[in-house]
Amino acid sequence: MFRLVIFGLPRIDYLPLNNGLSQWRRIGATLGLCLLQAACGTSQVAGITAPDDPQTRELVTQTIELVATRYIDPISRDQILVNTLDGLSEIDDNIRVGITPDDLVLQYDGKTVQTIALPQTNYDQTSAEGTQIWSEITLRGLGTYRAYSPVLRNSQTSDVQAALVSGAIRNLDRYSRYEGPKQAETARNRRDGYIGIGIRLIGGDGYPVVKLVHPESPAAKAGLHPGDQIVTVNGEDMYGKTSQYAAELLHGEEGSRVIIDVNTAGDRTITPMEIVRERVIDRTVFAEIRDNILIARLTSFNSATASTLGDNILKAQLYDGGLKGVILDLRGNRGGLLQQGVAVADLFLENGPIGNTFSRVTAARHTFRAETDDLTKGAPLIVLIDGRTASSAELVAAALQDRNRAVLVGSTSFGKGSVQAINDLPNHGTLTFTWSRMTAPSGYTFDRIGLFPAICTQSGEDDTPGHQVSTALSQRDQTAGTMVKWRSLDYRDEKNRRELRNVCPASNRSEEFDVKVALELLKNSPDYKNLAFVGQQEIADTFDAN
């Protein structure tokens, strides 16, 4: 059992848990109503009008449990409780939250306005009642602060929810974040695509103008081009409408039709078009062929990245002379969907490990292995990396380097070896936080240290690709020694981490020079193989994710 103490209000002692939460909710709702009436009279306020708002209750319950049970490092529920309520200080700076071993202390404008006894530890936290106790306390605190804070009373529900969730994760790592419904929808569209016609628009004083047409999209097939004006959508005049408004009208169910009138760029003619909506996924693979070498730049990893790259490999093999090599350009690639990164690595490997993830959370532990044949049939492979190559992109490069399948060229990469779980919330927002870390096939984690290239391309303006290759060959043993230290480093060792990263400092210059170095290396098969096996590691037959 626990007790509730409210200063300036009737005291309620020893509310037993075995009476169920319904009694708690009835009492809390009454108290919340009294608080609101005392502070506001009969005025109407925006946002949450009672502490038991169903959506906010569910949102708070889910947030606290997700962070408590799935964040990579343990964090107690009482600390999450404090952080959650303290998030309201982003709305009203007079709000302060403290905690003692026994009580939650709510302060406003420098004064303690309420204390709430914390639950004792002798209960099942995984039970239905156990998981909701903490959200009940949070909502009681929210009700109290609404009584004292005019700013909070007049805040929209969405702003209050954002403050609560953002507060819950404020002390987690920098990759943990909350995205509201609109931001979350945009992010989902980037990952999984959206149903529409495949254009991006620019709004203004006149008609929305086409900024970009996705290749092979319904819009491209219909003949839309950048610069065209969208005059009407399903008969509605678009003059003066925002780009977002017009875009929402163009979205719809897959297979449905939309009718638009288009003013073609450079022509006064109005052309009607009837277009069938399809799933449109942002392009992430940009490929070209030079002398039978496939150069594929991957900007991120979404749900179509691996299949698109695979298609480009197959097309390259049809050229006269076949496929003589691949340059996989991961510079500037911040990552994306982990499974897509694994699938990209799988395109170049036959059997064996790709990487794994480790975590205190059982569901976050995974072992990734190559499941298909090498699609390139062993064609020489160069991977370009720089200081912005991160996350899933680093896993791809690490797997191919560890398996002696590729030569890494460029600079030290970013060093983000953590994996984030994206959780959908009841308000259609998302809660993202770190729940595991990645390791390369040889077993080292590249979190915070990144990857070390066999050819470091940082040099003077007068350097040449040929000189870069010859220098890398002459320094092969030194590079091998660095890689041994690299793979054995404890990523928490700050001093040695900095020293190793400074051997080839991270660079963000996505220059053509790196491509030229890669092309130069591919001209000489013995040199390529020599550098592909720098720092060769024995990969354990047993690749254990535990």
Side-chain angles (χ1 to χ4, degrees):
M1 58 172 51
F2 66 93
R3 55 192 174 86
L4 172 67
V5 179
I6 305 177
F7 290 168
L9 292 170
R11 176 177 175 132
I12 301 174
D13 285 323
Y14 301 110
L15 180 64
L17 291 180
N18 55 12
N19 282 354
L21 291 176
S22 58
Q23 179 181 353
W24 171 267
R25 291 174 180 168
R26 288 195 298 272
I27 294 173
T30 302
L31 291 175
L33 181 60
C34 292
L35 284 168
L36 287 172
Q37 289 176 339
C40 319
T42 59
S43 63
Q44 296 296 316
V45 294
I48 301 170
T49 57
D52 59 352
D53 170 69
Q55 187 184 79
T56 302
R57 176 184 301 280
E58 187 180 355
L59 180 80
V60 170
T61 300
Q62 187 172 335
T63 297
I64 293 175
E65 284 310 299
L66 283 171
V67 175
T69 61
R70 298 211 162 196
Y71 182 61
I72 189 168
D73 298 319
I75 179 169
S76 64
R77 286 173 174 79
D78 55 358
Q79 186 58 57
I80 301 171
L81 168 66
V82 171
N83 294 343
T84 301
L85 282 172
D86 197 51
L88 297 173
S89 63
E90 293 296 319
I91 296 177
D92 187 339
D93 192 50
N94 290 308
I95 291 174
R96 293 291 183 272
V97 184
I99 192 170
T100 71
D102 299 316
D103 298 303
L104 178 73
V105 182
L106 307 183
Q107 296 179 321
Y108 187 80
D109 197 18
K111 300 176 183 178
T112 298
V113 295
Q114 184 182 19
T115 62
I116 302 176
L118 296 173
Q120 299 177 9
T121 57
N122 57 346
Y123 70 94
D124 182 4
Q125 295 193 7
T126 63
S127 67
E129 289 187 350
T131 58
Q132 291 193 45
I133 287 173
W134 298 97
S135 64
E136 296 292 339
I137 297 175
T138 304
L139 293 172
R140 299 289 78 74
L142 173 61
T144 296
Y145 281 131
R146 284 186 60 80
Y148 285 91
S149 169
V151 179
L152 190 59
R153 285 197 299 274
N154 289 287
S155 296
Q156 296 298 316
T157 300
S158 58
D159 294 333
V160 175
Q161 291 176 344
L164 291 169
V165 180
S166 297
I169 61 175
R170 64 168 42 172
N171 291 333
L172 307 188
D173 68 9
R174 58 177 171 164
Y175 304 117
S176 300
R177 63 188 181 276
Y178 166 75
E179 292 179 315
K182 290 185 178 179
Q183 292 173 305
E185 182 180 8
T186 299
R188 290 186 195 100
N189 290 343
R190 285 199 305 267
R191 293 191 303 267
D192 304 322
Y194 64 93
I195 308 301
I197 66 172
I199 60 174
R200 292 184 184 175
L201 298 172
I202 302 173
D205 295 332
Y207 291 104
V209 177
V210 177
K211 177 183 178 181
L212 178 146
V213 180
H214 289 277
E216 301 180 2
S217 66
K221 297 171 185 175
L224 276 170
H225 297 92
D228 292 349
Q229 292 181 320
I230 306 299
V231 179
T232 68
V233 178
N234 287 334
E236 182 177 350
D237 189 4
M238 291 292 104
Y239 189 83
K241 303 296 186 183
T242 65
S243 59
Q244 181 178 351
Y245 180 82
E248 288 176 353
L249 293 180
L250 294 173
H251 294 177
E253 294 183 4
E254 190 166 8
S256 63
R257 297 176 181 273
V258 60
I259 299 174
I260 61 176
D261 286 333
V262 179
N263 184 7
T264 305
D267 190 345
R268 295 184 179 181
T269 304
I270 303 297
T271 305
M273 295 183 179
E274 184 175 359
I275 304 176
V276 177
R277 298 180 176 100
E278 298 177 3
R279 179 167 295 280
V280 179
I281 302 177
D282 284 346
R283 184 181 180 186
T284 59
V285 180
F286 299 82
E288 62 173 301
I289 299 290
R290 296 191 201 173
D291 298 326
N292 294 94
I293 304 296
L294 172 64
I295 304 174
R297 179 169 64 92
L298 274 58
T299 56
S300 64
F301 294 92
N302 65 18
S303 58
T305 302
S307 60
T308 303
L309 178 59
D311 290 342
N312 278 280
I313 292 172
L314 294 175
K315 290 177 183 177
Q317 291 171 339
L318 299 177
Y319 277 70
D320 290 341
L323 180 64
K324 294 182 179 179
V326 177
I327 299 174
L328 188 63
D329 190 351
L330 299 180
R331 294 174 299 174
N333 188 320
R334 294 285 192 172
L337 296 177
L338 176 59
Q339 290 288 357
Q340 284 291 306
V342 171
V344 165
D346 198 354
L347 294 174
F348 302 98
L349 294 170
E350 288 189 13
N351 304 316
I354 290 175
N356 75 1
T357 57
F358 64 93
S359 174
R360 74 183 180 100
V361 183
T362 303
R365 301 173 195 160
H366 298 286
T367 297
F368 303 111
R369 302 184 68 89
E371 298 178 349
T372 60
D373 292 336
D374 180 351
L375 195 61
T376 69
K377 298 179 173 60
L381 174 63
I382 309 286
V383 179
L384 306 183
I385 61 172
D386 67 2
R388 295 171 297 172
T389 305
S391 194
S392 304
E394 287 180 293
L395 179 63
V396 173
L400 297 174
Q401 183 185 54
D402 265 17
R403 297 286 304 276
N404 308 308
R405 180 62 185 87
V407 176
L408 269 55
V409 173
S411 77
T412 296
S413 64
F414 183 82
K416 181 184 176 293
S418 59
V419 181
Q420 284 67 49
I422 303 173
N423 304 275
D424 291 327
L425 296 175
N427 66 346
H428 303 295
T430 56
L431 173 59
T432 300
F433 53 76
T434 300
W435 76 333
S436 66
R437 288 190 175 88
M438 293 180 275
T439 62
S442 59
Y444 81 97
T445 177
F446 44 87
D447 194 39
R448 301 185 66 196
I449 186 170
L451 309 178
F452 185 73
I455 301 181
C456 181
T457 55
Q458 294 186 1
S459 58
E461 294 181 359
D462 297 331
D463 207 350
T464 65
H467 181 257
Q468 283 281 306
V469 173
S470 61
T471 299
L473 290 167
S474 67
Q475 296 177 350
R476 184 184 187 281
D477 291 343
Q478 180 181 341
T479 300
T482 300
M483 287 187 176
V484 170
K485 294 178 182 178
W486 202 280
R487 286 165 168 148
S488 61
L489 176 75
D490 184 338
Y491 69 93
R492 294 165 294 188
D493 185 340
E494 196 68 26
K495 178 176 179 295
N496 287 328
R497 184 185 70 85
R498 284 198 302 267
E499 289 179 356
L500 281 175
R501 283 183 62 85
N502 285 334
V503 173
C504 180
S507 171
N508 297 333
R509 304 173 303 169
S510 296
E511 299 177 346
E512 177 68 14
F513 183 71
D514 291 1
V515 177
K516 292 179 178 178
V517 171
L519 290 170
E520 181 68 24
L521 180 59
L522 290 173
K523 291 179 182 178
N524 191 311
S525 179
D527 290 349
Y528 164 80
K529 291 180 179 179
N530 196 344
L531 290 176
F533 284 84
V534 171
Q536 181 177 3
Q537 292 286 308
E538 290 291 336
I539 307 299
D541 292 334
T542 301
F543 192 61
D544 192 357
N546 296 322

